[in-house]
Amino acid sequence: MRVRAAGLIIACAGLPAAGADLSPIEPGFDYHSFANVDQFRTTHIDLDLRIDLEGKVISGVVELELKRLDPRATQLVLDAKDLMINDVMQKSTDVLGATAGNQTIWVSRPFHLEKPDPILGSALVIDLPPSRRPGESIRIDYETLPSAGALQWLTPKQTAGRHKAFLYTQSEPIGARTWIPLQDTPQVRATYKAKIHTPSDVVAVMSAENDPTHKRNGEYSFVMPQAIPSYLIALAVGDLQFKETGPRTGVYAEKPVVKAAAKEFADTESMIAAGEKLFGPYRWTRYDILVLPPSFPVGGMENPRLSFITPTVIAGDKSLVSVIAHELAHSWSGNLVTNATWRDLWLNEAFTVYLESRITAVVYGEQRASMEEVLGLQSLRRDLARLPPKDQVLAIDLRDRDPELVFSDVPYQKGRLFLSYLEAKFGRERFDAFLRGYFDHFAFKSITTEQFDQYLNEHLLDRFPGIVTHAEALAWEHDPGLAMDAVLPVSGAFSPVDEARTAWLGGKLEPKTFGLDWVTQQWLYFLDNMPAALRAEQLARLDQAYGFTRSSNAEIEHSWLVLVIRNDYQPGFARLEEYLTTVGRRKLIAPLYAELMKTPSGNAFAKRVFAKAMPGYHPVTVAAIETIVNPTVAEGSE
Ligand SMILES: [Zn+2]
């Protein structure tokens, strides 16, 4: 039987009157999964998949080992989106209690796909007989559709090497269901194994044990022995090379990039050492980095043992590697202790931004860490200015909404400020001890905001009474805006930048007489805090002096291009078009499109360039930019 589970074309329409549901949220209930996790829990996933790079299809079987929690349950409900389900089988021992000799017999089971929800996809409902056995194994024969939201298929031309096609996945938050039918909720953790069949001239890597010495033969096997949530299952296939950077670190990248990447990320081992000293052992054996083609939609994705990283952080001077510190920090916060639902995302990200800053301070110094904290705060203030109050809270109500499209700086930067506040109130020594205890206590568990609160009360607030009240902590999680007593970061390194900017704007300072020893973060601060309007002649002189239009630093380039658009500085538009058609990282391009859409001429430019760039973007980026450029098509999304 073949059943087609098609997601609707209109992205993220949500249910009618999104947000109208005033019923209280049920903490721990995953509003973004159909899985009946109270009756069954996946404990192990076995994949056997064929990757057709030309046909752009993944096909094969997934075997799910399930623990049965309810002997009377007669249906297993999984998540599926944009998948063709060919057959569903159950291991015969689960049914008959016997095997035919040594052979495992699989028995077909009736199944159907429910009507698709545009955000969540379809419930894949499998009929099973009730059973008193502790568990069962289900096998699903399936293939992906071209619309699979987690997959990006790149033609050879879209890669750095330009000779071989490339595939990579981006499953967080709810994309795993577009390439594997499973219980796609972060509260279910499973180990996994995979056999991946590819064309014989490419390499496959996964968020698992990878063997860099494996010969290219089109057959790859992977084991992930630690139980992880589904959003951390990741795969990439392409013309990859490996270069070691330390005893337990290395870089996978295409040949034209691998050397520069290994040089840029040479400090990864020192970062792990810093993390271990602060937060306890690194529990994932190895930490490798996979550098993706420029279309990768996010800065980095913390896939365990193998972080997926945008090439836009390779600046040549290690100035943007805090992204690596961030993804590595997820080895503690996120991958080890995981948000139980997407409402609890701040538990992943707040801790990670906080840890990232601590690691950066150890490896690159306090000054760099504090500059990045200030830039993070500025970015948060911009988000708070545009977000409605309901989206300014840490434990956010995401019901009826695509968790993908409501990612903002709030769970990241406001969350970090909450932890910095606790650190300031209780002192670093007590707070560090609390953190280590937290990671130990919840290691390999998925937890809710409420579980965190309980732990926080027991091990910090009530243990050292009279410092922070329960109500004050809850206000951080559930009130909009920034708390009055937030401990805001400052950086002395930005004072000379403010002085130079003011003097230059006042005509008292010439370009090239300032900024000669500035680092990337100071340049970002210089550009990001320009007044709304600049004259073309001012921009031209800056550009002439510092070569912004041709910067090889993707972040500086981004900040410059914002000024180019805002001031309609024509000499910068060719570079702007080139940037928008090569970079696919949302954080870098979404604000540029948003800025363009503010004027009629910019609007036309944005639409034209988006149409041209779209085939090279990951579906996640397409969806995000669509909401900016064609807001009526993606109605209801935010
Ligand atoms: Zn993160």
Side-chain angles (χ1 to χ4, degrees):
M1 200 186 332
R2 291 165 75 88
V3 180
R4 185 185 156 105
L8 300 183
I9 304 297
I10 302 170
C12 320
L15 299 174
D21 184 356
L22 295 176
S23 62
I25 285 200
E26 198 183 312
F29 180 84
D30 191 343
Y31 292 90
H32 295 97
S33 170
F34 295 113
N36 54 340
V37 294
D38 292 338
Q39 296 183 303
F40 296 95
R41 288 250 168 178
T42 311
T43 55
H44 179 74
I45 298 168
D46 217 324
L47 295 160
D48 190 334
L49 302 177
R50 184 162 299 283
I51 314 300
D52 179 353
L53 288 173
E54 294 238 319
K56 302 185 177 177
V57 178
I58 296 180
S59 59
V61 291
V62 58
E63 206 175 302
L64 302 173
E65 284 175 25
L66 302 155
K67 188 173 163 194
R68 185 183 261 273
L69 305 178
D70 181 354
R72 290 161 308 170
T74 55
Q75 285 187 327
L76 167 69
V77 185
L78 302 175
D79 294 297
K81 190 177 183 188
D82 297 334
L83 290 176
M84 289 269 249
I85 307 295
N86 299 322
D87 200 5
V88 177
M89 290 157 282
Q90 184 180 20
K91 209 181 213 171
S92 61
T93 43
D94 299 331
V95 190
L96 310 168
T99 50
N102 285 332
Q103 250 198 327
T104 305
I105 295 175
W106 292 88
V107 183
S108 276
R109 283 278 152 214
F111 69 94
H112 68 275
L113 283 157
E114 302 261 306
K115 187 169 168 279
D117 172 271
I119 297 170
L120 306 180
S122 300
L124 170 58
V125 182
I126 300 161
D127 294 339
L128 296 174
S131 167
R132 298 216 156 268
R133 292 174 171 275
E136 40 229 290
S137 292
I138 296 297
R139 191 171 191 170
I140 304 166
D141 186 315
Y142 72 98
E143 60 199 80
T144 60
L145 292 179
S147 45
L151 305 180
Q152 188 174 17
W153 303 92
L154 296 171
T155 62
K157 272 195 175 162
Q158 291 170 317
T159 67
R162 303 182 74 83
H163 290 303
K164 284 169 192 155
F166 202 105
L167 162 70
Y168 67 88
T169 64
Q170 167 57 32
S171 296
E172 190 187 22
I174 55 171
R177 67 190 67 175
T178 70
W179 65 288
I180 311 169
L182 40 49
Q183 293 183 314
D184 195 13
T185 168
Q187 56 196 273
V188 170
R189 311 180 72 101
T191 54
Y192 82 81
K193 271 191 196 154
K195 277 201 185 80
I196 303 292
H197 314 274
T198 70
S200 58
D201 58 348
V202 287
V203 174
V205 289
M206 288 192 85
S207 54
E209 278 177 23
N210 287 284
D211 173 10
T213 64
H214 189 287
K215 277 214 180 66
R216 289 184 186 213
N217 61 1
E219 301 289 327
Y220 298 88
S221 298
F222 301 93
V223 178
M224 174 37 106
Q226 286 117 331
I228 57 168
S230 55
Y231 75 87
L232 293 177
I233 304 178
L235 166 72
V237 177
D239 189 8
L240 296 170
Q241 311 256 337
F242 176 79
K243 202 160 165 44
E244 200 175 272
T245 56
R248 50 185 169 166
T249 61
V251 168
Y252 291 88
E254 290 186 84
K255 200 174 174 192
V257 182
V258 72
K259 237 172 117 183
K263 211 169 141 222
E264 198 80 7
F265 306 141
D267 299 331
T268 311
E269 184 65 40
S270 318
M271 290 183 183
I272 301 179
E276 289 193 301
K277 215 169 151 203
L278 291 167
F279 318 117
Y282 178 76
R283 306 184 203 217
W284 307 88
T285 315
R286 280 192 67 85
Y287 181 80
D288 292 317
I289 290 168
L290 169 67
V291 181
L292 278 305
S295 65
F296 191 53
V298 293
M301 179 60 214
E302 65 269 24
N303 298 317
R305 292 175 186 235
L306 183 68
S307 282
F308 285 24
I309 300 290
T310 167
T312 59
V313 303
I314 303 174
D317 59 2
K318 300 182 182 174
S319 62
L320 302 177
V321 296
S322 57
V323 169
I324 305 297
H326 181 96
E327 304 316 328
L328 170 67
H330 272 304
S331 306
W332 288 270
S333 46
N335 299 3
L336 188 63
V337 182
T338 307
N339 51 217
T341 74
W342 298 111
R343 167 184 180 251
D344 311 302
L345 173 73
W346 76 274
L347 292 175
N348 278 16
E349 298 302 346
F351 281 84
T352 296
V353 175
Y354 176 83
L355 266 55
E356 165 198 336
S357 186
R358 297 288 301 274
I359 292 172
T360 301
V362 172
V363 180
Y364 298 102
E366 293 283 352
Q367 179 162 298
R368 170 118 157 227
S370 65
M371 284 192 291
E372 292 189 337
E373 286 180 16
V374 172
L375 291 172
L377 173 63
Q378 294 203 321
S379 179
L380 171 65
R381 288 199 191 280
R382 285 192 287 272
D383 270 3
L384 290 176
R386 74 176 172 84
L387 290 170
K390 69 182 169 75
D391 290 344
Q392 298 180 9
V393 302
L394 294 181
I396 185 175
D397 183 356
L398 292 172
R399 285 177 291 181
D400 304 334
R401 298 198 284 171
D402 185 345
E404 177 70 48
L405 294 179
V406 282
F407 267 53
S408 78
D409 269 324
V410 171
Y412 292 74
Q413 298 293 342
K414 182 178 169 180
R416 180 184 65 76
L417 289 175
F418 178 28
L419 301 180
S420 297
Y421 161 86
L422 292 173
E423 186 206 308
K425 288 282 185 187
F426 290 91
R428 181 164 277 192
E429 206 176 307
R430 284 172 182 170
F431 191 62
D432 280 359
F434 166 79
L435 278 182
R436 283 183 84 115
Y438 169 76
F439 291 131
D440 267 344
H441 184 78
F442 291 115
F444 297 105
K445 291 198 170 71
S446 302
I447 66 165
T448 60
T449 298
E450 286 67 23
Q451 283 170 285
F452 166 76
D453 290 342
Q454 201 186 342
Y455 188 86
L456 177 71
N457 293 345
E458 274 172 34
H459 294 86
L460 208 59
L461 307 195
D462 298 346
R463 202 160 154 222
F464 307 104
I467 300 175
V468 173
T469 65
H470 295 183
E472 283 166 333
L474 288 175
W476 268 98
E477 294 167 7
H478 302 285
D479 287 358
L482 265 183
M484 294 294 285
D485 55 350
V487 183
L488 301 180
V490 284
S491 172
F494 287 155
S495 309
V497 180
D498 280 326
E499 283 162 24
R501 190 191 314 99
T502 306
W504 173 70
L505 287 166
K508 297 192 185 91
L509 209 55
E510 287 297 310
K512 274 237 158 136
T513 61
F514 63 89
L516 301 176
D517 57 349
W518 287 358
V519 297
T520 294
Q521 286 71 21
Q522 287 170 305
W523 281 116
L524 293 173
Y525 184 77
F526 177 74
L527 295 170
D528 291 348
N529 292 285
M530 283 291 182
L534 291 170
R535 294 188 306 277
E537 159 263 326
Q538 286 178 304
L539 287 164
R541 299 203 55 188
L542 271 189
D543 200 10
Q544 208 178 13
Y546 302 109
F548 289 129
T549 297
R550 285 288 144 200
S551 173
S552 56
N553 183 306
E555 295 260 5
I556 292 178
E557 189 67 49
H558 163 85
S559 292
W560 170 250
L561 290 173
V562 171
L563 297 181
V564 163
I565 300 167
R566 202 173 279 163
N567 297 285
D568 198 25
Y569 177 65
Q570 287 302 321
F573 272 74
R575 174 66 183 131
L576 172 63
E577 181 163 344
E578 185 190 333
Y579 190 88
L580 291 174
T581 45
T582 45
V583 176
R585 184 178 171 193
R586 259 181 323 180
K587 179 196 149 190
L588 294 181
I589 61 171
L592 299 179
Y593 279 106
E595 201 63 48
L596 280 166
M597 292 303 287
K598 289 179 185 168
T599 65
S601 65
N603 183 308
F605 180 92
K607 289 199 159 115
R608 178 177 66 75
V609 173
F610 178 49
K612 181 175 152 194
M614 195 161 57
Y617 289 160
H618 186 280
V620 161
T621 301
V622 173
I625 305 301
E626 189 84 59
T627 64
I628 298 169
V629 175
N630 299 311
T632 47
V633 176
E635 199 180 337
S637 61
E638 314 205 359

